[in-house]
Amino acid sequence: MGLKDLFSFLGQGSSKDDRVAQYVIREHDRGRSLNEILEDKYVQNRLTPEQQRRLLDRPEIIESFSGDVVEAAKDTVSS
């Protein structure tokens, strides 16, 4: 096992987070609310509540939704 293999797990989270962020933005563009999207099995099965809160801090998510919507969604993400 090479050094690259030992640390391969480090990059896995970010690409998963990127895919979920793209999903959230795409679903919002289709007219869905942020809270509704966060309750989707797609999001729930891929991100822990802590990861969901971090997702809401991403610049592309904040740009897609108003700041008030993002803050309200953070309050509803279960711990």
Side-chain angles (χ1 to χ4, degrees):
M1 179 184 285
L3 192 57
K4 181 179 176 183
D5 296 329
L6 285 173
F7 295 101
S8 65
F9 70 92
L10 292 174
Q12 290 177 355
S14 64
S15 64
K16 178 177 58 174
D17 294 350
D18 290 344
R19 287 191 302 271
V20 175
Q22 291 168 0
Y23 172 81
V24 170
I25 292 167
R26 183 173 57 248
E27 290 301 307
H28 174 65
D29 288 345
R30 293 178 177 166
R32 298 180 63 204
S33 74
L34 181 56
N35 285 332
E36 180 184 2
I37 298 165
L38 291 175
E39 293 173 0
D40 283 356
K41 289 199 180 295
Y42 180 85
V43 176
Q44 295 291 316
N45 290 337
R46 285 163 180 78
L47 301 179
T48 66
E50 177 61 31
Q51 290 170 320
Q52 290 177 42
R53 283 190 286 280
R54 283 198 314 262
L55 177 80
L56 298 175
D57 289 330
R58 293 175 66 115
E60 65 269 32
I61 298 293
I62 294 169
E63 287 177 19
S64 295
F65 298 88
S66 77
D68 294 340
V69 171
V70 172
E71 289 303 316
K74 285 182 186 178
D75 293 338
T76 64
V77 173
S78 58
S79 299

